[in-house]
Amino acid sequence: MKAILFTQENTDGFNALQERIHLHMISKIGVDGFSYSANCWASYSEAYVYEDQLCMPIDDAEPRYSYILEALTQEEKDSIQDINLE
């Protein structure tokens, strides 16, 4: 799985990126039949923890993957890592 990792202290950064992705997804509703049903963004308090870091999964198998990438800066795209969540 791919993910962006945050230190556990960087809760503001995690939440800000989740909010930005959420708002971008809302803007894409109806584009090429895209649907998105979340009514809020995910909070750091609900995040997976991977090797002591907050984990924001970026599933490249999901149809919305390209929309998620559109919401990211180049630096954020470069920070995506392959991880093993089990």
Side-chain angles (χ1 to χ4, degrees):
M1 169 173 281
K2 295 183 182 299
I4 298 175
L5 302 175
F6 295 80
T7 64
Q8 290 194 38
E9 294 78 24
N10 190 4
T11 57
D12 289 342
F14 183 93
N15 284 344
L17 182 53
Q18 283 285 21
E19 179 181 11
R20 187 163 22 103
I21 291 170
H22 173 73
L23 293 174
H24 186 71
M25 296 301 228
I26 288 172
S27 77
K28 295 299 181 179
I29 292 174
V31 174
D32 296 326
F34 179 70
S35 64
Y36 180 70
S37 61
N39 58 9
C40 67
W41 58 90
S43 167
Y44 77 90
S45 63
E46 300 162 355
Y48 295 108
V49 175
Y50 175 78
E51 295 182 358
D52 293 326
Q53 294 184 299
L54 298 174
C55 176
M56 182 182 300
I58 308 290
D59 188 350
D60 58 352
E62 287 188 23
R64 63 186 188 167
Y65 178 68
S66 63
Y67 291 146
I68 292 171
L69 290 181
E70 288 176 5
L72 302 178
T73 66
Q74 188 58 51
E75 183 179 352
E76 291 162 344
K77 290 176 190 174
D78 293 342
S79 72
I80 295 173
Q81 301 177 37
D82 287 316
I83 64 168
N84 186 11
L85 276 181
E86 288 187 22

